[in-house]
Amino acid sequence: MSLATAEKLEDIKARNKEVIAEVLEAYPDKFAKRRSKHIGTFEEGKPDCGVKSNIKSIPGVMTIRGCAYAGSKGVVWGPIKDMIHISHGPVGCGQYSWAARRNYYIGTTGVDTFVTMQFTSDFQEKDIVFGGDKKLAKIMDEIQELFPLNKGITVQSECPIGLIGDDIEAVSKAKSKEYGGKTIVPVRCEGFRGVSQSLGHHIANDAIRDWVFDKQDGKAARFEQTPYDVAIIGDYNIGGDAWSSRILLEEMGLRVIAQWSGDGSIAELEATPKAKLNVLHCYRSMNYISRHMEEKFGIPWVEYNFFGPSKIAESLRRIAGHFDDKIKEGAERVIAKYQPLMDAVIAKYRARLEGKKVMLFVGGLRPRHVIGAYEDLGMEVVGTGYEFGHNDDYQRTTHYVKDGTLIYDDVTGYEFEKFVEKIQPDLVGSGIKEKYVFQKMGVPFRQMHSWDYSGPYHGYDGFAIFARDMDMAINAPVWKLAKTPWN
Amino acid sequence: MSQNAENVLDHFELFRQPEYKKMLEDKKKNFENPVAEAELERVREWTKTPEYQEKNFAREALTVNPAKACQPLGAVFAAVGFESTLPFVHGSQGCVAYYRSHFSRHFKEPSSCVSSSMTEDAAVFGGLNNMIDGLANSYSLYKPKMISVSTTCMAEVIGDDLNAFIKNAKEKGSVPADFDVPFAHTPAFVGSHITGYDNVMKGIFEHFWDGKAGTAPKLERQPNGKINFIGGFDGYTVGNLREVKRILDLMGVEHTILGDNSDVWDTPADGEFRMYDGGTTLEEAANSLHAIATISMQEYCTEKTLPYIKSKGHEVAAFNHPVGVEATDKFLMEVSRLTGKPIPAALAKERGRLVDAIADSSAHIHGKKFAIYGDPDLCYGLAGFLMELGAEPVHVLATNGGKAWEEKMKALLASSPFGKNCHVYPGKDLWHMRSLLFTEPVDFLIGNTYGKYLERDTGTPLIRIGFPVFDRHHHHRYPVWGYQGGMNVLVWILDKIFDEIDRNTNVPAKTDFSFDIIR
């Protein structure tokens, strides 16, 4: 496949080369050289995208990346709804990430559910000087007193914790013992660790392994097991994504015993080793625990993609491939059931979106996973990149992108603006920090982390919303108003 | 299947459909090991009791839902108020992603700021190389006229010395020797975002006035008759600073707005992205030393800056986010006193219009009980205005309010019969407020977006005034200062009051006798 005809493809590659050279020119030499390794053009047939990744951001640029705390508290742990997650350190980290990710859940907030709350140890100077362990212990006591229905506590470390030598593990163990074996999980996700959110995901995965799974060894499931038990891994239920995914798995005859971690509960985490198959959406943030469960419990895992009807059907069949004919037939039944809806959505929106060009820059799985959904609408992705991807993400990306696609890893604000200026896409999909930059430039934009406060985008129900949203972004009348009519 | 192409169901409708309701009920029952319904209800009701409140107020270590952010956020807020100035935050990079997101969600604008991206090696060896490389990259890529350096808690814990690092970076050629790089240490574990604002403002004036960290002669003050004006950390900065300029222009007062971020957070959508726009010019920042006086609109945002400016010989005056007639009167009279310029008839007319509006509507506000939370100055300004309207503040809470604020608030409340039943809560959080709203209910709550959780839990209608406001658009474009600003606040309060009366009287044949068409 190619973006266009052979001749035009050459033009595209030449243009990419030109714009890459142009942006690199703006850097001091040393950093032009470093950044050059992160930007390139995908060449058909290559095993990866030809860019380096998961390397420190260069200082002094507008990197879009966050930190390990964001990866642990913000992504992996935060959505576990019946536990209390303490942002341990100064007040800011918890404040800026308070309820910002739209991890939907059902529960009585403040009573048996705590996702959209900000629990912080609000470190003061004396805590830095004398250490925060005593305060942490007291916080756990106060949590037990005021929030008695909590099912567990995690300690999400902010930068100072690792620097001042606090022993949050000792505090957690002591308090767990005091409270009759309560699950209390210390997480060493200080923001300075690693190069992005990514290490925070890994640390959070490891914390589940060490502080949740290891306590469960040998315990029976709370429910009767079936041959069709699966766990959804790596869906954060943003705008309800995991729900519009779960419904499809259940409709095909599977039983979802756990959601990781959107609308998830500690009971679900604990039960997951009883699954027959782990279905993994966000590979980047939860491949670690999936591999662990494979090694330790022999549970296979399969990656899937629930963006857009083509990939959904492919994924349903791939998941069904792990089960018997009953499930395989179930998958076909589900695909057939939703076909008329998909036909109607595509009939309505494709004509309005055909040929529109998209540039993406997101995290996790989305820089590749959403490409199929755009293609289902006749759109093409001409540039993409990962905030915190690793080489295995870029390898997986080769199955999605076309020859000549511009690839930018850990793009800087400066580069992204220049790329968009030059390539003039019809839509940019990225985050809140980028949104208004491009809208000022007159380029339609959708936030592809929070779904721009819409969603779900997963599953068939989600695709209808996705298509409607892309149409309303691109075809909004406002873009015609940007220029004054008198000059 | 409920979804359909013709009428696409959004999340708030989709998940209420029967197939999803059943799915979620089954999930809960089978896999979540839920708390028994009766126990849930028991605890829910218990959290509303005075007994719970007592335990809640006995907290010594845990903070739940605080109404404050950290110093570095305020640092960025102050820095972007200067012409073509790039805020450079020395420390971990994730912090900067958070500040930028936070401001963008409030202002619905881009928010430009860079980080020195310190990681483990910098934690061990210090962040000098990050400063050297970072300043060089920032200068090359983003072509600022000034880089304002502040810190995150990481850099503060390891003890990085900004002054020495910046000197070192200049020696290494990261930026030209005479390039302006003011700095301020802004540890996140001291004070709050208003402290960070204060530190950066002071740092910038020290830089320009006191010889640019030993690289230039100190400026000699030659009073020029102008006055300086500092807004403080303010979610309404776009509307407020423009309103202040309009008022000062009407009065014919020669002035300098220091830290004017009203343009950079309100750029047009005309096809061009302006990373920098407007702002106090560097020349103005330097020359502001020569002013005769400096006015701060928020005392607790300028606790260090204002005394520093005073030490240079300025007459200084501090207000507390003045809202309403009397607070604006005091502000204008002070400007008039300092400059010798009379208050023009046009402003007296605006005043009269606000008084007129209050007279028209006060019957609906009089005696209504309010809870307020927010930054210390904003709480003060709003409480004053409410009492002017005949409303009764009952709870006033500032997580980042201290002892001095508490005393000042109490004095204000004691000055009016409408304040006599009000309590002041410095250092408390919104979980404390939740208890208060159950045990001593009020008619309305004034606060930022996070107040919606209190509205949901306690049924107290929320009037969104404060920072951040994420879930309503464009209110930051309206001033709350000046008589016109007072008018805006009055209308926001009234709109909520009338909406509530309508909402409480709209059941046909039951309550709708009071569903009046004229109010």
Side-chain angles (χ1 to χ4, degrees), chain A residues 26-28 30-31 56-63 65-67 69-70 81 90-92 95-100 102 104 106 108-112 116-120 122-125 128 135 138-139 142-143 145-149 151 159-160 163-164 191-195 222-223 239-240 243-244 246-247 250 255-257 259 263 265 267-268 337-338 341 344-345 348-349 413-414 417 432-433 436-437 440-441 453-456 461 464-465 468 482-483, chain B residues 1 3-6 8-11 14-15 19-20 23-24 27 30-35 39-40 43-44 46-47 52 55-56 58-70 73 86 88 92-94 96-102 104-105 108-121 123 129-130 133-134 136-138 140-142 153-154 157-158 188-191 266-273 275 430-431 434 450 453 456-457:
Chain A
Y27 288 93
K30 177 176 157 192
F31 292 100
K56 272 198 276 190
S57 303
I58 65 176
V61 300
M62 254 175 276
T63 173
R65 285 173 167 176
C67 63
Y69 164 89
K81 62 185 180 178
V91 69
Q95 202 70 3
Y96 310 127
S97 57
W98 181 3
R102 305 187 67 235
Y104 282 7
I106 304 284
T108 306
T109 305
V111 184
D112 68 347
T116 48
M117 295 176 69
Q118 180 352 21
F119 292 85
T120 173
D122 187 13
F123 260 34
Q124 301 300 303
E125 197 149 25
I128 301 288
K135 187 174 200 179
K138 193 164 213 173
I139 283 172
E142 291 176 356
I143 284 174
E145 171 110 25
L146 291 167
F147 304 96
L149 301 184
K151 299 270 190 64
C159 287
L163 299 171
I164 61 177
F192 62 81
R193 294 192 197 277
V195 304
R222 273 193 200 84
F223 46 81
W243 293 336
S244 55
R246 182 186 187 107
I247 202 163
E250 292 190 346
R255 194 172 78 148
V256 179
I257 63 165
Q259 281 178 210
D263 193 36
S265 55
E268 289 167 74
K337 175 185 166 187
Y338 287 94
L341 171 66
V345 168
K348 183 170 176 187
Y349 293 108
Y414 178 84
E417 282 157 51
I432 182 68
K433 305 191 290 300
Y436 301 105
V437 170
K440 303 283 178 191
M441 288 164 64
Y453 323 121
S454 175
D461 286 348
I465 300 172
R468 192 266 328 259
K483 293 288 172 199
Chain B
M1 175 172 34
Q3 189 60 286
N4 68 91
E6 279 319 299
V8 174
L9 297 183
D10 280 298
H11 48 89
L14 182 65
F15 298 124
E19 67 268 31
Y20 279 104
M23 180 187 88
L24 293 171
K27 174 180 184 291
N30 297 328
F31 304 110
E32 293 181 3
N33 188 25
V35 173
E39 176 68 353
L40 175 68
V43 174
R44 190 220 296 262
W46 172 63
T47 67
Y52 186 87
K55 289 180 194 293
N56 191 8
R59 267 190 281 147
E60 290 175 357
L62 172 66
T63 298
V64 185
N65 297 354
K68 67 169 182 183
C70 66
L73 185 80
L86 184 65
F88 180 108
S92 301
Q93 73 191 13
V96 167
Y98 278 143
Y99 317 142
R100 295 180 64 208
S101 303
H102 209 63
S104 286
R105 287 175 179 141
K108 315 297 178 199
E109 290 286 324
S111 231
S112 300
C113 175
V114 297
S115 162
S116 66
S117 294
M118 286 164 67
T119 56
E120 282 112 325
D121 52 346
N129 286 333
N130 298 69
D133 292 341
N137 282 325
S138 299
S140 304
L141 280 190
Y142 300 112
C153 54
M154 179 204 183
V157 171
I158 66 173
F189 45 82
V190 175
D266 191 20
T267 61
D270 59 359
E272 182 197 345
F273 162 55
M275 187 169 147
L430 301 188
W431 199 253
R434 186 177 185 272
Y450 301 114
Y453 297 132
R456 176 196 58 194
D457 289 359

Side-chain angles (χ1 to χ4, degrees), chain B residues 145-146 163 166-167 170 177-183 203-219 282-283 285-286 308:
Chain B
K145 288 191 178 160
M146 176 161 93
N163 189 18
I166 293 165
K167 276 202 175 109
K170 284 189 168 181
D178 60 353
F179 185 77
D180 291 308
V181 188
F183 62 89
I204 288 174
F205 302 132
E206 280 175 338
H207 170 81
F208 283 109
W209 299 353
D210 288 345
K212 304 190 172 185
T215 63
K218 287 189 179 192
L219 296 185
L282 306 191
E283 204 184 350
Y308 166 76

Side-chain angles (χ1 to χ4, degrees), chain B residues 326 358 362-372 382-396 409-424 440 442-443:
Chain B
E326 285 177 299
I358 294 170
S362 85
H364 292 279
I365 306 180
H366 194 100
K368 294 275 188 300
K369 292 181 164 55
F370 283 76
I372 309 169
L382 289 171
F385 187 42
L386 286 177
M387 295 194 296
E388 193 171 88
L389 298 172
E392 296 176 19
V394 174
H395 314 293
V396 180
M409 269 313 309
K410 283 180 173 167
L412 173 72
L413 295 164
S415 72
S416 160
F418 296 98
K420 71 174 189 297
N421 294 319
C422 185
H423 287 100
V424 181
E440 202 179 336
V442 296
D443 298 305

Side-chain angles (χ1 to χ4, degrees), chain A residues 337-355:
Chain A
K337 175 185 166 187
Y338 287 94
Q339 195 59 50
L341 171 66
M342 293 299 98
D343 291 345
V345 168
I346 288 169
K348 183 170 176 187
Y349 293 108
R350 183 161 180 143
R352 302 161 64 86
L353 297 170
E354 188 82 50

